[in-house]
Amino acid sequence: MLARLARARTGGLAALVAVVALLPLALTNNYHYEVAIVVGLNAIVCVGLNLLIGYAGQISLGHAGFYGLGAYGSAILTVRYGWPPAAALVASTAGAAALAYLVGRPILKLRGHYLAMATLGMGIIISIVIATEDRVTGGPDGMAVAPFAVLGFTLAGERVWYWVIGAALALAVWLSLNLIDSPAGRALRALHGSEVAAQVAGVDPARYKVLAFVISAVFAAVAGSLTAYYAGFITPAKASFLHSIELVTMVVLGGLASTFGAVIGAAVLTTLPQVLTLLKDYEMMVFGAVLMLCMIYLPRGLVPTIADALARRRR
Amino acid sequence: MSTFTLKHFTRAALAASLAFGAAAAMAQAPIKIGAFLSVTGPAAFLGDPEQKTLELYVERINAAGGVLGRKLQLVSYDSGGDAEKARTFAKRLIEQDAVDAIVGGSTTGETMAVVPLVEQAGVPFVSLAGAVVIIEPVKKWVFKTPHTDRMACEKIFVDMQARKISKIALISGSGGFDKSMRGQCLKVAPNYKIEVLADETYGGGDTDMTAQLTKIKNTAGVQAVLNAGFGQGPAIVTKNFRQIGLTVPLYQSHGVASKEFIKLAGPAAEGVRLPAAALLVAETLPDADPQKKVVVGYKRAYEERFKQDVSTFGGHAYDGLMLVVEAMKRAGTTDKAKVRDALEGIKGFMGTAGVVNMSPADHMGLDLTAFRMLEVKNGDWALVK
């Protein structure tokens, strides 16, 4: 079952939709919905980030910056300039995509981990700007965001948002799976294998890496916008370097080059701290130990390792 | 036999949980106090003493017989200074743990993220964060214990008026605390007929403020300098201030009210004045001071248990917990709406921050007497008479 989950595109997507549809049976209060929504939002970012890290072989240490751009873009355009929320979401996402293109285009022509350094700098600049431009962003104390209203209908309450985020996650996974199976996706996988070989076969490395980078930025910005509307209040912490690291950790833990791995990674790393609060002072130690053990014994991440093990047993 | 007892037990437990709403069962159940604090992360200097204080006093209250004949139970989560985590934990406290009241929110961001939730759910919430926006405009279920930066400005301006100072220079850093206080000082200065002739700023990592201070020195008519700052900056300002030979009075903010400041600034700190909570000078307060008993009691209890210096932040948590307990006693119940009403009606409550007089228009209830004007004398704090 897990093996099919990780491989067959339709089967996996159907399983995800089924999980999203059936999960409310197990969610008994708004707190449970809240955790499920945060898992969904993180998973959207991770599915995008996985395209970049898992398929294009580039690391981004600044994806929280795009997330923050989406969140603050939507917040500022709606609250300060009175834009309709849907337009603000599209505009701030387009802004993040444009920035990703401008940063990625010159850098991705180079080989090696230059993108990691550039995104690191970019993410830090974004979080500093958000924290210091307090007249527009509210500074370190954060700012309130008006709820998402479209055609006179306001999205409010955890139960409504659960279905919105669930649908958005399914859409993100569907887009990601399609992209991977498209010619662009095959080109990306070829690049990850051997850049020289791919070039000989006529693949332009820079073009496809930029494509993956821009798409991942779009996913992050959309998730950021949705977070702002859902939470109703945002602070610069979500654009910080630490949050970038958290996102990369989710992708790596779930399994590189596995879309469902990214979803599982986000789910595990979001729910684990909630479960571990029972341990009080030992929470952080156990959390770190779980991550270390996973990386030592499952170096390729949760989903690929388990899927392989199952496939081997069946043979 | 064993299956029978298990079945028996299950049935009893089921019956008990069904009867949970009944008064008889309620009398036995503990009163749940929820907390979400930045125990780790960048704001740990706030959340750590707050968490310790809550643990210590819940223990002490229970040892003394609890509240309304019931024990207190502290349900506390570490939000790490992250507003999103604070929101999730607040939902957990409200929905899952069904707490009777919430004390927490070490930073303004965490508090503001949670305000819509407590307002909707109707849970009494006492915030431990500083900014004025938490209580202005007044929110039905939200209260707070720490003084605001506006009060610090006002306290300083009152002292300046007493010294016949009316023209000042302002110098501040670029952090959240500094910016907020600078804005508040500029806003209330006209109320005290104080004119701000110069308004200089420095960066968070700057190690020399001579340039800004020279500008202030060359501004004609400056009678005093006010430094709205937090962290290392104010100590450097104080040193540079003496180095370039400025002789007018220098005022610092409550943000540097710790022994660390005197250590860093050294002899240059002599004569510097600043507003601070009474906790800082607990032992030197005159015996007749009505606040002395409370602050000395808290200071001794905290220092004895944790072997570290008491901080005003832990004091905010003490005030928050005690206010909730006081409100529950006055209301004679843990009914949320009644506890809220009792909180709003608290008058003359003595906390570590000062006398609290709540009202429907003021959910903090502190006035300027909450701050003491201190002056550095012989490397220690001295009360300005």
Side-chain angles (χ1 to χ4, degrees), chain B residues 127-143:
Chain B
S127 166
L128 311 178
V132 184
V133 290
I134 297 168
I135 47 155
E136 258 178 39
V138 173
K139 294 155 193 81
K140 191 176 174 199
W141 297 89
V142 183
F143 300 81

Side-chain angles (χ1 to χ4, degrees), chain B residues 192-215:
Chain B
Y192 295 85
K193 299 196 174 51
I194 283 179
E195 205 182 328
V196 180
L197 297 179
D199 178 13
E200 296 293 324
T201 55
Y202 53 85
D206 288 5
T207 52
D208 187 278
M209 284 71 154
T210 317
Q212 291 92 329
L213 288 165
T214 307
K215 246 176 126 180

